Amino acid sequence: MSKNNTVFRPRDLKELDRIIEQNVPPFTFVAGATDLMVQTERWRAAANLIDLTSVSELHETLGVKDSSVRIGAAVPYSRIIKNSVVRELLPILVEACRQIGSVQIQNRGTLGGNIANASPAGDSLPVLAVLDANIWIGPARNGKFTIKKIDEIMTGPGQTILGEKQYIAFIEIPFHEREGQFWAFRKVGQRSALAISKLNLAVLGWLNDGIVKDIRICSGSVAPQINRHRRTEEILRDKKPDEKLIEQACQMIRREISPISDIRSTEEYRRHTTAEVLRDILYQTFAIYDL
Amino acid sequence: MKANPNDFRVDAVGKLRAETRYIRDEKIPGLWFGAAIRSPLPRARIKSITFDKNFDWNRVTVVTAKEIANNYVAMLENDMPFLAEEIVNYAGEPVVLIAAADKETLREAGEHVKVNYEPLPYVLDMLQSENSDVKIFGERNIFKEIRIEKGNIEQARQNAFAIVELESETGFQEHLYLEPQGVVAIPEEDRVIIKGSMQCPYYIKAALDEMFGGKKHVTVIQAATGGAFGGKEDFPSLLAGHAALLAVKSGHPVAMFFDREEDVRVTTKRHPSYHKDIAYVDKNGRILGLDLTIYLDGGAYCTLSQVVLARSALTATGCYHVPHVRILAKAVATNTVPSGAFRGFGGPQAVFAIEMLIEEIAHRLNLRPDQVRRLNLIKEGQSTATGQILRYSVSAEETFTDVLERSDYVRKYNTYKKGNAPILERLLKGVYPKKNADDMLKGIGLSVSLHGAGFTGTGENRIKGKIRVEINKEGMPVIFSSQTEMGQGEETALKNILAKTLSIDRELILLTEVNTDLVPNSGPTVASRTTMVVGSLLVEAGKEIISRLTKKLNSETGKSFEYRLGYFYDGEQIISFREVAQKYAGLFVEKQYSHPPVIKFDDIRWKGDAYPVFSWAAAVAEVEVDPVTFEISVARYFTTHEIGKAINYDQAIAQIQGGSLQGIGYAIYEKVGLKNGYFDITGFTDYIIPSSADMPEMDVKILENPYPFGPFGAKGLGELPFVGAAPAVISALWMIFNYPFTRLPVMPEDLFSVVRTLKEKGA
């Protein structure tokens, strides 16, 4: 970071909002800084840094209610992983947090950072999408935060709808019916830890008498944005999955994604493997093995 | 052999307590920072360099090629300039140097320099270089060509039951030492002091003596060095030249500190290779003859490519006895960053090629890969491609047999084949491959490898490494050598060897700072030579110290003391080494190395003892491939190394584990591509080396078969563990897919393509 830059460390939301009001953008909102600090140029150019980890509400909130949990945008992954209620009620979120970076990264990195950073490879994003999380965007107006879904916030790689005075404040995740629930989060990277995903896939669904009552599927790293694959979901919904139906779903997800070739992988591998990972998850969920 | 908890690394405490000072930790008053403006193009003519008048150039110091009288880095060919003058030959080549008091000013100044380039045609493909119109080096872009012949290859061809051909390739590899390159130059009136992260202080001194034409006294001091793997063998000579030019001109100490991105983009990589090999075999798989063609991509300048090529050619027949051999090896120039030294130094490329050729022979003759290997392993009394008769310390068969037994190779080979069959069948039919959720394709592969210890050919006799051991006032022996610690355990090894020779505590031995004003040139810290070559000088020095102390003591006392395990004893009195040594403080012994006369090599006809001795290894890798994602992991890795004698057992095991993992990285993790002539990697996030989470279960065994001229029988170890790892891993992929994998690295994306190809073939 350049010597002349200002760093703000507001203690609470009130002070944070005042700083935003009284200073001239651009601001660089930062929590764990696990991505920003390692990018020499971006870190150097970072102007008016606002450290959200000093904002007590954002850094500490992990509020469990009857029907949902509200997590501060600057709460590190490791606290989410350790929380016993989250572990019990949102195992898919814990699984995604566990597969992010390494233990060191999990101690610093946050859901808020993952969302605002808007990388298509952000590992928590597909999971937040299938969990139907509400993202609370500050500053609040008359005590009310702007609330959006994950796929409404990210508009492209590194691009969000956030205005230059806006920040991610909280992530509110509803608890879902546990009866008949099945879930999976898979990450494919070049090594076991500290790898940026080549692709990832989150699946959350509910079964009743072998029939798929509902299913939500979201991939990461295989499109410029994070999108649920609603046409693939549609194929499986209200059906009793068999090999033929799953084949149709796999064909559909291949069409619903738009991967590219880059330094991490190839377009063809990503398209093929996303579909095969979906097949793997569904076969295992429905115990379809041609024995 | 077993672990000895008291034999810890002598450099460990300082590193664990963060007391060790690396070059960036040093407080150097008035330090300026330097940087290079680099060519963005792989080849171009420099038309002009303009300095924007809107910038106050008095704030900084600038150096261009025109100001450098001897503008070449003295190495083997002197072809690489410190700064390009007319033509740039690779993307990233330095053109202008700038230094400033702080990094902000430095950056600002850099933005105000404009270099105008006229783009020129370039060649990136090593196979097109020789016949290209683009001339980078001489008329044919060949840094070195080597021909080795043994027997009569025609005879092998005529007697062959089968002719087996294989082309294979290996890619770039980045060292990724923990500490990026960093050097500081401190100017004094008639002297320049170079301090930094390095392997070979005397290489730097030679390069800078030449650059300054003897007009400055050059002192080179090694700072604590955070890893090197060969990457700090040749490259720091260029970097130190840059720092020195800026320091002398500005009058300030100047630091050239790379960040990670600059380091991976412009520093040397392992030489990519291409092999076209032919084996003539009988019906049992016995090799009658090998006809090998080797290309190494040297990049834009020669650096050490000639010697890397020599090691590749001299290692090309692997651990096998072959009666008829013909080898043609060429190191060629391309418009890429100069390739340089890297652990194994041409050996890994050669061993990969020969091991894959063996796999292909097994494949063709329907034999198990271990059967073909066992049949051809070289034995004591047999000769290598250069006619070197292996007279001692030969363990190809012993290491091979041991690792096969310990890993239960043959049984697992059969079991895994059977287990894979239905998964593969379904995979190739294009249906869901698993029967159970945790179904994996399991492979088991093997390799045999060797590494010639010490310099190639006549190198040791040319460098004539020299050490001194001196007794200080406290009666402690002080070692003066130019060997460097870079994390490999050099300090521990040298102290252990002298302590053992003198039968005294290791703590009584001191090592002098590696400073070219203080230490003689014992040669560079490369080629797995430190323990074996310099260690052997220490044994000689230690023995001479004892005999000279004994003589002095006896002539002074008129008695007849003899030395017994750390004490002088005459029947009545017993006096400790230290007590006697203290009396004769100042006594010193110097020793200079040359090969034992029995070791002879002709480097014009490529005949004779290419290396004084070889170290041997065999490895078995158990590999798992996820049939859904094609992710590859090494689950278990067995290796048996025969290294003459382990000077420090724990450290030897650690070397073998680390080197093996680095070799596994070379096989299935580490990939460097080129984009517009530039490497496409920027650092740890996109150059994927295996982490501790990818470490297989490792089972290492050391065998000892003494080298009669090594310290206590020791041979070289540092590079060997790397050499055999990649072929063992890839051998396991051959076994799973029954498909010739001939290009390193192999990625999941490659397996995906292979399976698709096999599917199409089947259909």
Side-chain angles (χ1 to χ4, degrees):
Chain A
M1 197 173 51
S2 164
K3 279 179 197 161
N4 311 327
N5 277 354
T6 313
V7 179
F8 298 101
R9 302 201 76 230
R11 275 165 302 182
D12 51 29
L13 276 176
K14 224 170 104 187
E15 199 180 328
L16 169 63
D17 291 350
R18 202 179 65 234
I19 287 167
I20 293 171
E21 200 48 52
Q22 290 174 354
N23 291 278
V24 183
F27 300 113
T28 305
F29 295 100
V30 63
T34 54
D35 208 62
L36 187 61
M37 278 180 80
V38 296
Q39 298 180 54
T40 320
E41 279 306 304
R42 266 186 70 198
W43 177 238
R44 194 175 59 80
N48 290 335
L49 209 76
I50 300 183
D51 180 2
L52 298 181
T53 62
S54 64
V55 180
S56 56
E57 296 96 323
L58 305 188
H59 189 50
E60 278 148 35
T61 303
L62 225 168
V64 179
K65 288 196 220 145
D66 285 351
S67 62
S68 70
V69 58
R70 193 163 58 103
I71 302 172
V75 171
Y77 298 120
S78 54
R79 273 197 61 209
I80 301 171
I81 295 168
K82 282 184 199 131
N83 185 286
S84 57
V85 179
V86 177
R87 284 165 86 117
E88 199 193 332
L89 299 179
L90 299 169
I92 188 173
L93 178 66
V94 172
E95 181 58 30
C97 292
R98 274 205 181 119
Q99 292 203 34
I100 289 173
S102 61
V103 172
Q104 293 95 319
I105 298 282
Q106 289 157 19
N107 285 337
R108 297 281 312 162
T110 64
L111 288 177
N114 215 211
I115 298 166
N117 199 36
S119 162
D123 286 323
S124 73
L125 306 183
V127 167
L128 294 176
V130 298
L131 286 171
D132 203 26
N134 288 317
I135 316 301
W136 296 23
I137 298 167
R141 300 276 169 238
N142 308 320
K144 287 212 158 152
F145 289 87
T146 310
I147 293 178
K148 296 274 179 196
K149 298 291 181 191
I150 197 83
D151 54 358
E152 295 171 322
I153 293 180
M154 184 175 169
T155 53
Q159 306 296 316
T160 64
I161 56 155
L162 294 175
E164 53 185 6
K165 289 186 168 188
Q166 284 185 307
Y167 57 90
I168 311 284
F170 299 99
I171 295 93
E172 184 197 29
I173 305 170
F175 297 138
H176 298 88
E177 173 64 53
R178 292 171 69 203
E179 176 88 32
Q181 191 187 105
F182 63 91
W183 62 270
F185 176 75
R186 297 281 182 84
K187 167 172 175 165
V188 178
Q190 182 61 27
R191 65 181 157 204
S192 311
L194 280 167
I196 301 174
S197 294
K198 293 176 180 185
L199 61 99
N200 60 37
L201 195 68
V203 175
L204 179 64
W206 290 267
L207 280 179
N208 189 3
D209 274 347
I211 308 278
V212 176
K213 264 191 347 195
D214 192 13
I215 187 164
R216 302 168 185 172
I217 301 169
C218 186
S219 62
S221 240
V222 288
Q225 283 149 273
I226 298 296
N227 285 317
R228 290 255 304 269
H229 301 304
R230 294 184 196 274
R231 288 191 291 163
T232 307
E233 294 171 2
E234 204 49 52
I235 289 174
L236 297 162
R237 192 171 290 121
D238 298 326
K239 304 265 172 49
K240 193 181 170 105
D242 58 12
E243 283 179 66
K244 218 174 124 196
L245 193 71
I246 290 171
E247 173 60 26
Q248 282 175 31
C250 292
Q251 289 297 339
M252 182 54 79
I253 200 169
R254 291 173 75 101
R255 289 206 287 277
E256 282 199 279
I257 57 176
S258 48
I260 56 164
S261 292
D262 60 15
I263 190 163
R264 289 196 295 282
S265 191
T266 63
E267 185 260 331
E268 286 176 307
Y269 173 84
R270 281 176 158 139
R271 194 182 296 280
H272 172 86
T273 308
T274 305
E276 292 315 301
V277 168
L278 176 64
R279 191 192 310 271
D280 195 40
I281 291 171
L282 296 174
Y283 272 55
Q284 290 191 22
T285 303
F286 302 106
I288 300 174
Y289 295 109
D290 179 18
L291 294 171
Chain B
M1 273 314 295
K2 58 177 194 286
N4 172 8
N6 294 322
D7 195 8
F8 55 85
R9 286 259 304 257
V10 298
D11 55 329
V13 173
K15 284 170 179 170
L16 289 171
R17 290 186 180 152
E19 289 164 356
T20 305
R21 290 284 156 261
Y22 297 86
I23 189 63
R24 288 165 181 78
D25 301 322
E26 304 241 1
K27 299 273 174 285
I28 299 166
L31 183 67
W32 279 32
F33 295 92
I37 309 272
R38 300 178 180 281
S39 164
L41 302 167
R43 191 160 172 267
R45 186 180 308 282
I46 299 170
K47 288 170 70 186
S48 65
I49 303 172
T50 47
F51 297 91
D52 188 344
K53 292 194 182 73
N54 295 321
F55 183 81
D56 176 7
W57 292 97
N58 292 319
R59 292 162 64 198
V60 300
T61 295
V62 174
V63 174
T64 59
K66 278 184 289 209
E67 305 163 48
I68 311 168
N70 297 330
N71 187 14
Y72 57 89
V73 186
M75 233 178 264
L76 294 171
E77 283 292 341
N78 299 347
D79 59 330
M80 179 164 72
F82 284 100
L83 292 174
E85 184 157 6
E86 285 171 36
I87 306 282
V88 289
N89 279 311
Y90 65 92
E93 180 163 7
V95 178
V96 179
L97 295 171
I98 310 179
D102 60 85
K103 291 175 185 169
E104 280 297 317
T105 311
L106 181 64
R107 191 166 6 248
E108 214 183 308
E111 285 161 8
H112 289 84
V113 180
K114 190 166 167 33
V115 185
N116 282 310
Y117 297 98
E118 176 195 334
L120 296 174
Y122 55 87
V123 57
L124 300 178
D125 181 345
M126 69 177 123
L127 297 183
Q128 285 170 15
S129 166
E130 225 177 320
N131 299 314
S132 169
D133 293 333
V134 176
K135 301 297 175 202
I136 306 165
F137 186 88
E139 280 308 299
R140 293 166 61 214
N141 290 337
I142 294 179
F143 291 125
K144 177 95 178 170
E145 187 171 306
I146 295 171
R147 286 164 194 274
I148 299 174
E149 289 199 32
K150 175 189 180 186
N152 181 353
I153 196 72
E154 261 316 295
Q155 198 184 316
R157 198 177 65 82
Q158 282 163 15
N159 294 334
F161 166 77
I163 299 173
V164 179
E165 296 185 43
L166 196 73
E167 288 177 65
S168 57
E169 286 172 62
T170 62
F172 290 108
Q173 190 185 21
E174 160 58 28
H175 307 82
L176 223 68
Y177 28 68
L178 269 180
E179 180 203 22
Q181 302 275 355
V183 169
V184 170
I186 304 165
E188 291 177 356
E189 203 169 328
D190 300 315
R191 179 164 98 133
V192 178
I193 303 167
I194 298 293
K195 210 168 176 185
S197 188
M198 63 182 72
Q199 283 177 254
C200 312
Y202 272 99
Y203 278 5
I204 296 177
K205 182 168 166 56
L208 268 58
D209 281 344
E210 193 94 5
M211 183 181 84
F212 285 121
K215 288 182 188 130
K216 293 270 178 197
H217 176 81
V218 178
T219 302
V220 183
I221 303 169
Q222 186 217 7
T225 297
F229 305 118
K232 292 169 185 171
E233 176 173 350
D234 44 295
F235 188 81
S237 297
L238 175 68
L239 198 64
H242 291 169
L245 287 163
L246 288 166
V248 168
K249 189 166 179 190
S250 69
H252 296 278
V254 173
M256 295 295 292
F257 291 161
F258 281 1
D259 64 15
R260 181 63 63 185
E261 182 167 347
E262 185 167 27
D263 196 297
V264 300
R265 287 211 148 206
V266 306
T267 68
T268 56
K269 304 281 170 283
R270 185 185 296 285
H271 290 69
S273 73
Y274 165 83
H275 276 244
K276 190 174 169 61
D277 298 334
I278 304 168
Y280 303 109
V281 296
D282 75 8
K283 64 179 191 314
N284 302 316
R286 186 178 297 280
I287 302 170
L288 308 175
L290 286 176
D291 192 349
L292 312 175
T293 308
I294 303 170
Y295 280 81
L296 287 185
D297 182 350
Y301 298 109
C302 181
T303 72
L304 305 169
S305 291
Q306 299 165 334
V307 197
V308 177
L309 183 74
R311 193 177 273 279
S312 236
L314 294 167
T315 309
T317 53
C319 297
Y320 306 106
H321 175 248
V322 187
H324 305 284
V325 179
R326 181 164 66 190
I327 298 169
L328 170 60
K330 295 174 188 179
V332 300
T334 60
N335 292 110
T336 53
V337 170
S339 304
F342 197 147
R343 190 182 208 171
F345 208 74
Q349 295 94 322
V351 169
F352 177 72
I354 184 72
E355 289 297 282
M356 294 307 103
L357 187 61
I358 298 286
E359 293 286 327
E360 180 69 8
I361 295 169
H363 189 80
R364 278 278 299 280
L365 301 183
N366 209 14
L367 296 165
R368 251 192 355 252
D370 59 306
Q371 295 170 319
V372 180
R373 283 181 174 85
R374 186 183 294 280
L375 192 63
N376 290 290
L377 289 174
I378 198 162
K379 297 170 189 66
E380 198 169 294
Q382 291 183 323
S383 68
T384 67
T386 58
Q388 171 171 6
I389 295 164
L390 302 179
R391 290 157 286 192
Y392 42 72
S393 202
V394 184
S395 303
E397 233 175 351
E398 289 75 2
T399 49
F400 179 74
T401 304
D402 183 76
V403 84
L404 246 58
E405 279 174 9
R406 284 195 302 121
S407 63
D408 202 4
Y409 172 87
V410 175
R411 188 189 61 81
K412 285 177 184 166
Y413 182 93
N414 293 322
T415 313
Y416 293 171
K417 274 253 174 198
K418 216 184 259 174
N420 291 342
I423 304 175
L424 270 176
E425 197 190 315
R426 300 166 62 84
L427 196 58
L428 296 183
K429 258 198 257 165
V431 298
Y432 182 69
K434 292 186 184 176
K435 280 187 163 183
N436 301 294
D438 51 1
D439 269 352
M440 283 283 195
L441 291 165
K442 290 183 179 173
I444 188 161
L446 77 170
S447 75
V448 288
S449 56
L450 77 173
H451 196 77
F455 269 139
T456 297
T458 53
E460 292 294 347
N461 287 346
R462 266 203 301 269
I463 205 119
K464 296 188 180 71
K466 201 170 154 188
I467 58 133
R468 187 165 79 246
V469 179
E470 198 174 312
I471 306 293
N472 76 2
K473 282 184 207 148
E474 282 83 45
M476 298 163 87
V478 186
I479 300 171
F480 292 75
S481 98
S482 63
Q483 302 318 127
T484 50
E485 175 66 59
M486 50 181 126
Q488 86 282 37
E490 167 266 347
E491 293 181 348
T492 311
L494 295 194
K495 284 187 174 186
N496 277 6
I497 289 167
L498 188 57
K500 195 170 172 195
T501 309
L502 297 173
S503 307
I504 60 174
D505 282 352
R506 187 173 73 186
E507 283 59 43
L508 282 180
I509 306 214
L510 301 177
L511 267 167
T512 307
E513 171 188 68
V514 180
N515 172 328
T516 54
D517 286 353
L518 303 177
V519 299
N521 185 0
S522 52
T525 305
V526 303
S528 308
R529 66 182 288 279
T530 299
T531 296
M532 185 178 95
V533 172
V534 181
S536 75
L537 295 179
L538 283 173
V539 171
E540 283 179 40
K543 284 180 183 163
E544 190 175 325
I545 284 173
I546 292 167
S547 86
R548 283 174 57 186
L549 286 176
T550 312
K551 260 187 212 154
K552 279 180 183 279
L553 187 63
N554 287 343
S555 77
E556 200 181 301
T557 58
K559 298 184 176 170
S560 47
F561 281 93
E562 59 181 73
Y563 196 64
R564 285 172 174 254
L565 295 175
Y567 295 88
F568 294 89
Y569 175 64
D570 78 335
E572 292 169 359
Q573 263 185 299
I574 184 154
I575 319 173
S576 75
F577 172 87
R578 189 165 182 188
E579 211 174 316
V580 174
Q582 210 163 357
K583 275 167 77 115
Y584 303 111
L587 180 140
F588 71 91
V589 171
E590 288 185 333
K591 289 285 168 194
Q592 185 155 32
Y593 185 83
S594 62
H595 278 329
V598 68
I599 295 163
K600 294 189 186 78
F601 188 68
D602 173 348
D603 58 9
I604 294 159
R605 295 187 312 127
W606 297 89
K607 291 280 176 217
D609 303 315
Y611 297 95
V613 69
F614 293 90
S615 296
W616 307 89
V620 166
E622 289 192 45
V623 173
E624 292 186 355
V625 173
D626 185 318
V628 171
T629 62
F630 301 111
E631 288 168 291
I632 313 165
S633 63
V634 181
R636 273 170 294 279
Y637 189 84
F638 301 83
T639 184
T640 303
H641 275 54
E642 192 278 290
I643 57 171
K645 162 88 190 163
I647 293 298
N648 177 320
Y649 178 80
D650 291 345
Q651 186 57 22
I653 294 283
Q655 272 282 17
I656 295 169
Q657 292 178 336
S660 301
L661 189 61
Q662 196 172 30
I664 290 168
Y666 188 43
I668 55 171
Y669 291 91
E670 302 179 32
K671 189 170 187 175
V672 184
L674 286 172
K675 204 174 171 185
N676 306 324
Y678 252 114
F679 296 132
D680 60 358
I681 55 168
T682 59
F684 284 102
T685 51
D686 49 20
Y687 185 68
I688 306 298
I689 60 168
S691 76
S692 54
D694 306 294
M695 180 87 168
E697 219 176 273
M698 279 219 183
D699 191 334
V700 177
K701 186 166 167 187
I702 293 173
L703 299 181
E704 296 185 336
N705 181 357
Y707 165 48
F709 306 107
F712 313 107
K715 303 188 281 191
L717 164 63
E719 295 163 277
L720 178 65
F722 183 95
V723 180
V729 171
I730 305 303
S731 159
L733 295 178
W734 282 64
M735 176 267 186
I736 295 175
F737 293 99
N738 199 25
Y739 180 91
F741 292 92
T742 56
R743 188 187 290 182
L744 285 184
V746 177
M747 297 296 193
E749 286 77 4
D750 300 315
L751 294 186
F752 161 67
S753 302
V754 164
V755 167
R756 195 175 47 182
T757 309
L758 293 176
K759 244 192 258 177
E760 282 161 9
K761 261 193 202 160

